[in-house]
Amino acid sequence: MAGNAWRSTVSRIMGAVKSQTQPRTFSRGMQTVTIIPGDGIGPEISTSVIKIFEAAKVPIQWEERNVTAIKGPGGKWMIPPEAKESMDKSKIGLKGPLKTPIAAGHPSMNLLLRKTFDLYANVRPCVSIEGYKTPYTDVDLVTIRENTEGEYSGIEHVIVDGVVQSIKLITEEASRRIAEYAFEYARNNQRNSVTAVHKANIMRMSDGLFLRKCREVAENFKDVKFTEMYLDTVCLNMVQDPTQFDVLVMPNLYGDILSDLCAGLIGGLGVTPSGNIGANGVAIFESVHGTAPDIAGMDLANPTALLLSAVMMLRHMGLHGHAKKIETACFDTIRDKKVLTKDLGGNSKCSEFTAEICRRVQDLD
Amino acid sequence: MRTLIKGYGIRFDIMVFGKAGKFHVVPTLLNIGAGLGLMGLGLSGVRLQPLCVRSLSLTASQNATLESPPARADSTFKVTMVPGDGVGPELMTAVKEVFKSGDVPVEFEEFHLSEVQNMASEEKLNEVLTSMKNNRVAIKGKIHTPMEYKGELASYEMRLRRKLDLFANVVHVNSLPGYSTRHNNLDLVIIREQTEGEYSSLEHESVSGVVECLKIITREKSRRIAKFAFDYATKKGRSKVTAVHKANIMKLGDGLFLQSCAEVAELYPKIKYENIIIDNCCMQLVQNPYQFDVLVMPNLYGNIIDNLAAGLVGGAGVVPGESYSAEYAVFETGARHPFAQAVGRNIANPTAMLLSAANMLRHLNLEYHSNMVSEAVKRVIKQGKVRTRDLGGYSTTGDFVRAVVANLRHRPLH
C-alpha cells in the first residue's frame, strides 16, 4: 500500500544517524539514556515520551538530569558535573526545550552543551507528514549544519562608536569534519546526493575554503553524487520545488536559516526532529521548538517533535524495530485526525494524544 | 546653435582662443586643426541629435558644472544600460524591442562590463560611472561574480554599488494575476541594505587553514536604510515595517542594526514597527507570508529573503527590483542570477526585466508609457497562452516579447 511504502521511506530517512565510531554493543539489559526534560512544556512532553516508550517496551533506562549552568571553580560557567558524567557514560541524550534567560549572566545552555560535548553536526531530516497538510508535499530532505564555528563564533568588537565588526570564522578542520559526516550519513542512509550550500562568489576566501574541503572529501565518496549550489539559488528553488534536494551540507548561519525554512515546509518546529552529533560518539537528540511558557503546565503541548527525535535516537542506537513501531503509531494517530493537539488542528489534550499513541503501539505488538 | 555649443563644452575652448561670446565655424575648424578632432566629430554629430542631450565630452569633466536637462518638449531620456552576463543581453534586447514598438522616448547607452568574459577593467568601470553620473538612471543585468579571484576580493558588481553608493535595494514581490502559486495575492516589499554587512569583502587567512571574514555594521548606514524603509512605506501607503535580524546571536552587530531601526521607527508613529529573527522569518514566509508588509534587513539576509520571496510568486523571472542611492536609480531584476544555463536558448523569461523597465519609466515620470508596458505584460500573463518555460509553458523569449508588443497596440495612441 502506498502508506507502507511511504512509511518505509520515512523510516529510512528519519534519523538513522549512525556514527562512524565502532558499532555499539548493547548488553541484553537496559541501555541508559540521559534525558534532560528542560523548561516550560519540557517536563510534560518528556513524560509523554517516557510513557510511550514504556508502552512499547523499549529496553531503555532513563536518567533524568538538569543542565542549569553553574559556576565552576575558576569562575567559568559549566553544566553540573552530574549531568556531564551521566552523558559521558551513556553517550546518548534526549533533550527538551531549554530556556535562555536574558540577564542571567551565563551563556545559553544550548551553547554550553555544544561546547562541552563538541557537538559539531546538527542533523535535521525534514519529511512531509501525511495527515498534516502543508502547501508543500513530498518534502524529503536532510539538512546537515556545521554547528561550532562560522558566523556564530560570537567574536564581535566595537571598533569606534557606531561601527561594529563581527567575525565569521571558517577553519579547514571543521569544514572537513562536517563534510565527512555528511557523506557518511548519505552513505549509511542510502541517500543519493549531497549538495554543498555556500556563497563563495561573495565570501570568496571563507566559503571558498569550505567548498574546497567539501570537494576534497567528495573524492573519497564516489558513490554519492556531489553538487554545489549558491545559497540564494537554493532558497529560490526550495520554495518552488523542494523535491529536487536530498542531503544539504552547509556552514553555521546558512544551516540555521535553511533548516528552519525546511521545518516550515513540513509544518513548523512542532513536528520536526533534530539530532546533534559530537566527537567521541556523543549524540544528543532534541526538539527544536521553544519552551512555550504560555501553555506550560496546561496539558496542551504537542509531544510529536520530541517523540520523533526520540525515534531518531532509537535508530542511532540500532533499535530499529521499536523505532518503527513507535513512529508508525505516531503517524497513524496524526493521519486519523481524531485525537490531535491544538497546534495540529484538533482539540485534544497532550495526555489524550499520548494515550492514543500508547494504545496503538500496544495494538501493533 | 549657441545652446548646442554650450552643451558640448566647446564654449570654453572658444574662450581659450579668445573668442568668447562669438561663434562661427572657422574657429571651430581651427580647433580641429589644433588636434581636437574629437570635438569636430562631436560637433558634426551634434546636429543630428536632439536638444536635450547632456554633455558627454571629455572636457566636460574639467568644466565641472553639470547642467540640468532643458524642458522636455519632445525630448528623449538617456539611460545607461549594462547588459551584464548570462541572459542579461537577451533580456535587454527584449526591453529595447518593446520600447521601440511602444515609441517610448528613451535612448540607451550601452556598456558591456563583465568579469567572466574578460571585458572588465578599471577604465570600463569608470566609463560606466561617468555615464551614470550624467544620466542618473540605469537599467542593468547581473554582472556575474566568478568564484576565483585575481587580487581583489570585491567583485565589479560590488564596486559599482559602492562607488555609486546604491545603498537600498527594493524588491517588489507581487503575485501575478493569472499565474497561481502556492501562495496567491502576495504583496510584499523587501528593502535590503546593500553596501555593508557580510559583503564587505574583508577576508584574511590569519593562520594557515583558518579564514576570517568580517561583517561590518555601522549605525549611520543602518539608520539610513531604516529611514529609507519608513519613508518608502509612508510614500506608498504601507502600514507595517518589519526588521529582520539575528540579534540573539550577533548581539553587537545585528543589535546595532535593530537599535537603529527602533530609533527611526519612533519618528513614524503612523507606521507599525516589528522585528523578527531571520530563521523564524523564513519559516513564517513559507507558512503564512501574508503577515508581512515591508521588510527591512541587512545585506546577507536580504539576499536570502529576496530569493525566497521571489520563489513564492513564481521565480526569478517575474520579480522586478531596483537599487537607489541619494542621486541615482538602477533598475534590474529582483532575484539577481545570470542564469548561464539558458544563454542562447531563448528560454529566459523577460517579465521581471520588462516590469522593472516599466518602473523605470515611472521614475522618469513617463506614466503613460509605464502603464502601457506593465499592462501589456500583465495581460499576456493573464491570458496564459504565451508562457515561458519557468512558468510552465513552452514559448520562447521571442514569442513572449512579440505577444507583449502585440498587446501594446491595444492601447489607443494619442
Side-chain angles (χ1 to χ4, degrees):
Chain A
M1 199 177 90
N4 279 333
W6 177 80
R7 254 179 266 140
S8 62
T9 316
V10 166
S11 340
R12 185 162 55 82
I13 291 96
M14 273 310 236
V17 174
K18 298 208 177 71
S19 70
Q20 53 269 50
T21 53
Q22 58 276 20
R24 240 163 265 289
T25 45
F26 299 126
S27 53
R28 274 182 308 115
M30 310 283 261
Q31 169 76 9
T32 321
V33 166
T34 312
I35 182 162
I36 301 160
D39 309 305
I41 53 173
E44 297 169 48
I45 53 179
S46 309
T47 327
S48 290
V49 171
I50 296 178
K51 242 190 254 169
I52 295 175
F53 271 44
E54 263 171 34
K57 299 204 217 26
V58 181
I60 279 186
Q61 199 175 5
W62 302 99
E63 241 177 53
E64 203 172 299
R65 289 285 180 269
N66 188 5
V67 288
T68 321
I70 57 170
K71 240 188 173 148
K76 251 180 58 169
W77 289 101
M78 50 181 238
I79 64 172
E82 315 86 52
K84 183 163 191 318
E85 122 192 12
S86 165
M87 267 306 300
D88 284 338
K89 211 170 34 147
S90 57
K91 300 276 186 200
I92 310 274
L94 185 66
K95 180 176 88 66
L98 290 175
K99 184 172 63 176
T100 302
I102 301 193
H106 60 75
S108 87
M109 246 81 78
N110 291 316
L111 193 60
L112 265 181
L113 276 173
R114 207 174 298 148
K115 287 216 151 74
T116 317
F117 298 109
D118 196 17
L119 301 172
Y120 66 90
N122 178 302
V123 183
R124 209 184 275 191
C126 294
V127 184
S128 286
I129 298 185
E130 209 179 309
Y132 187 44
K133 274 252 151 291
T134 58
Y136 301 89
T137 51
D138 298 330
V139 179
D140 178 9
L141 50 91
V142 182
T143 57
I144 298 182
R145 157 196 177 190
E146 207 291 326
N147 220 350
T148 56
E149 54 171 25
E151 296 82 349
Y152 292 12
S153 51
I155 310 171
E156 295 184 293
H157 321 279
V158 178
I159 308 192
V160 289
D161 179 44
V163 179
V164 175
Q165 153 190 311
S166 297
I167 296 189
K168 161 179 165 164
L169 207 63
I170 299 274
T171 56
E172 221 175 270
E173 180 57 41
S175 307
R176 197 183 42 78
R177 195 165 59 163
I178 191 70
E180 269 176 14
Y181 179 76
F183 280 97
E184 288 272 351
Y185 181 92
R187 194 181 260 173
N188 294 338
N189 295 283
Q190 292 90 41
R191 309 294 297 206
N192 300 324
S193 70
V194 171
T195 307
V197 180
H198 63 98
K199 268 211 91 57
N201 53 347
I202 302 290
M203 290 180 251
R204 304 203 218 195
M205 277 176 82
S206 31
D207 279 357
L209 175 61
F210 176 79
L211 202 56
R212 261 202 319 276
K213 287 287 141 210
C214 285
R215 282 182 192 148
E216 279 172 24
V217 171
E219 295 294 315
N220 301 335
F221 289 84
K222 294 282 187 174
D223 49 335
V224 179
K225 192 170 118 165
F226 173 69
T227 47
E228 38 193 74
M229 226 182 198
Y230 291 129
L231 176 62
D232 43 8
T233 315
V234 171
C235 285
L236 187 65
N237 293 340
M238 182 77 78
V239 291
Q240 296 187 289
D241 180 23
T243 56
Q244 54 185 286
F245 296 106
D246 197 356
V247 177
L248 300 163
V249 64
M250 55 211 123
N252 215 332
L253 176 71
Y254 314 149
D256 192 9
I257 297 174
L258 271 184
S259 56
D260 276 2
L261 176 62
C262 297
L265 295 176
I266 61 168
L269 294 179
V271 294
T272 312
S274 168
N276 296 297
I277 311 299
N280 310 321
V282 173
I284 301 186
F285 297 86
E286 60 176 354
S287 60
V288 283
H289 51 74
T291 52
D294 44 342
I295 56 170
M298 297 201 272
D299 200 19
L300 289 171
N302 180 359
T304 309
L306 193 62
L307 187 61
L308 291 177
S309 304
V311 167
M312 217 170 136
M313 176 186 78
L314 286 176
R315 290 221 166 79
H316 185 255
M317 290 160 51
L319 298 167
H320 295 279
H322 296 280
K324 192 147 185 258
K325 222 172 20 176
I326 297 176
E327 192 182 60
T328 317
C330 182
F331 286 148
D332 280 347
T333 314
I334 297 181
R335 194 174 13 177
D336 271 352
K337 293 199 207 207
K338 282 197 224 104
V339 189
L340 289 178
T341 51
K342 198 136 165 276
D343 59 321
L344 291 175
N347 46 20
S348 309
K349 289 186 165 299
C350 175
S351 43
E352 292 168 15
F353 186 69
T354 314
E356 175 72 15
I357 300 183
C358 290
R359 193 183 61 78
R360 278 181 198 269
V361 162
Q362 276 154 355
D363 284 347
L364 281 171
D365 263 335
Chain B
M1 217 27 178
R2 177 96 194 178
T3 325
L4 282 170
I5 302 159
K6 214 158 107 171
Y8 270 79
I10 299 176
R11 174 188 65 179
F12 72 89
D13 281 336
I14 297 173
M15 274 152 84
V16 161
F17 282 87
K19 300 222 174 28
K22 274 201 194 160
F23 166 77
H24 35 101
V25 178
V26 173
T28 318
L29 289 172
L30 279 179
N31 290 349
I32 293 170
L36 294 167
L38 200 61
M39 287 297 114
L41 284 171
L43 185 60
S44 55
V46 155
R47 286 188 207 103
L48 304 170
Q49 286 179 355
L51 283 167
C52 77
V53 167
R54 299 190 208 119
S55 97
L56 287 172
S57 59
L58 298 166
T59 48
S61 42
Q62 295 172 26
N63 205 0
T65 50
L66 281 176
E67 330 221 49
S68 54
R72 310 184 304 255
D74 17 86
S75 51
T76 56
F77 286 93
K78 282 211 116 197
V79 167
T80 310
M81 176 186 270
V82 182
D85 299 310
V87 292
E90 295 176 21
L91 300 179
M92 292 303 168
T93 317
V95 171
K96 281 193 278 198
E97 229 180 278
V98 171
F99 275 24
K100 201 165 73 170
S101 313
D103 274 332
V104 179
V106 166
E107 208 183 297
F108 291 113
E109 245 174 60
E110 282 189 45
F111 294 94
H112 292 268
L113 185 67
S114 162
E115 210 166 334
V116 287
Q117 294 173 49
N118 286 326
M119 284 200 272
S121 57
E122 282 306 314
E123 302 88 57
K124 262 248 163 70
L125 190 63
N126 286 330
E127 271 173 46
V128 175
L129 289 172
T130 321
S131 165
M132 266 301 292
K133 290 196 169 83
N134 291 330
N135 301 335
R136 299 191 193 253
V137 175
I139 185 165
K140 79 181 242 311
K142 160 92 180 166
I143 304 172
H144 183 57
T145 314
M147 284 197 276
E148 303 75 36
Y149 53 97
K150 310 173 220 150
E152 253 202 64
L153 281 175
S155 62
Y156 273 90
E157 177 124 343
M158 269 314 287
R159 281 159 68 193
L160 197 64
R161 247 177 249 164
R162 281 200 201 129
K163 292 220 159 113
L164 294 171
D165 197 24
L166 294 168
F167 66 93
N169 181 339
V170 180
V171 172
H172 307 274
V173 181
N174 295 322
S175 291
L176 293 169
Y179 179 61
S180 63
T181 55
R182 291 183 179 98
H183 309 271
N184 289 313
N185 298 324
L186 270 183
D187 186 8
L188 300 174
V189 176
I190 299 174
I191 298 181
R192 159 190 179 190
E193 208 292 329
Q194 241 189 166
T195 49
E196 60 170 15
E198 295 82 349
Y199 290 29
S200 52
S201 314
L202 295 165
E203 297 181 281
H204 53 269
E205 192 163 355
S206 31
V207 174
S208 160
V210 176
V211 175
E212 283 187 355
C213 172
L214 303 180
K215 163 180 164 164
I216 312 282
I217 302 267
T218 55
R219 182 175 292 136
E220 187 193 317
K221 289 197 178 169
S222 304
R223 261 202 204 140
R224 189 168 61 162
I225 191 71
K227 185 147 201 315
F228 180 91
F230 278 95
D231 283 340
Y232 189 91
T234 314
K235 183 169 165 204
K236 305 279 175 173
R238 298 276 180 165
S239 49
K240 184 165 82 164
V241 172
T242 310
V244 180
H245 64 95
K246 189 91 193 158
N248 52 345
I249 304 286
M250 291 185 248
K251 298 187 169 74
L252 290 180
D254 282 355
L256 181 61
F257 178 80
L258 207 56
Q259 196 185 27
S260 311
C261 286
E263 282 169 18
V264 172
E266 287 174 16
L267 304 171
Y268 295 82
K270 290 214 184 91
I271 299 188
K272 194 154 162 256
Y273 168 69
E274 281 178 0
N275 63 62
I276 189 171
I277 300 184
I278 172 80
D279 40 7
N280 191 15
C281 183
C282 287
M283 197 172 351
Q284 297 300 323
L285 273 171
V286 291
Q287 295 189 298
N288 177 19
Y290 304 101
Q291 57 185 293
F292 298 112
D293 193 1
V294 176
L295 294 154
V296 63
M297 59 202 87
N299 215 331
L300 179 69
Y301 312 147
N303 187 222
I304 296 172
I305 305 264
D306 276 350
N307 282 276
L308 214 167
L312 291 177
V313 293
V318 301
V319 178
E322 55 245 22
S323 299
Y324 292 105
S325 84
E327 298 133 6
Y328 311 111
V330 175
F331 293 85
E332 48 194 347
T333 57
R336 299 186 276 228
H337 299 268
F339 200 20
Q341 317 86 284
V343 175
R345 287 162 63 192
N346 208 4
I347 56 172
N349 187 347
T351 306
M353 197 54 90
L354 287 169
L355 287 175
S356 195
N359 289 338
M360 178 184 78
L361 293 174
R362 185 165 298 120
H363 180 86
L364 291 170
N365 272 332
L366 293 167
E367 279 283 339
Y368 171 75
H369 295 100
S370 164
N371 287 335
M372 181 174 71
V373 172
S374 65
E375 281 184 25
V377 173
K378 287 189 183 142
R379 204 177 291 137
V380 173
I381 303 230
K382 194 160 181 189
Q383 282 168 359
K385 277 184 270 176
V386 184
R387 277 214 182 140
T388 45
R389 208 172 291 188
D390 59 326
L391 296 185
Y394 297 100
S395 309
T396 61
T397 314
D399 290 340
F400 191 86
V401 173
R402 275 186 285 278
V404 173
V405 164
N407 273 280
L408 279 176
R409 303 236 163 87
H410 281 197
R411 301 264 312 186
L413 296 166
H414 56 252

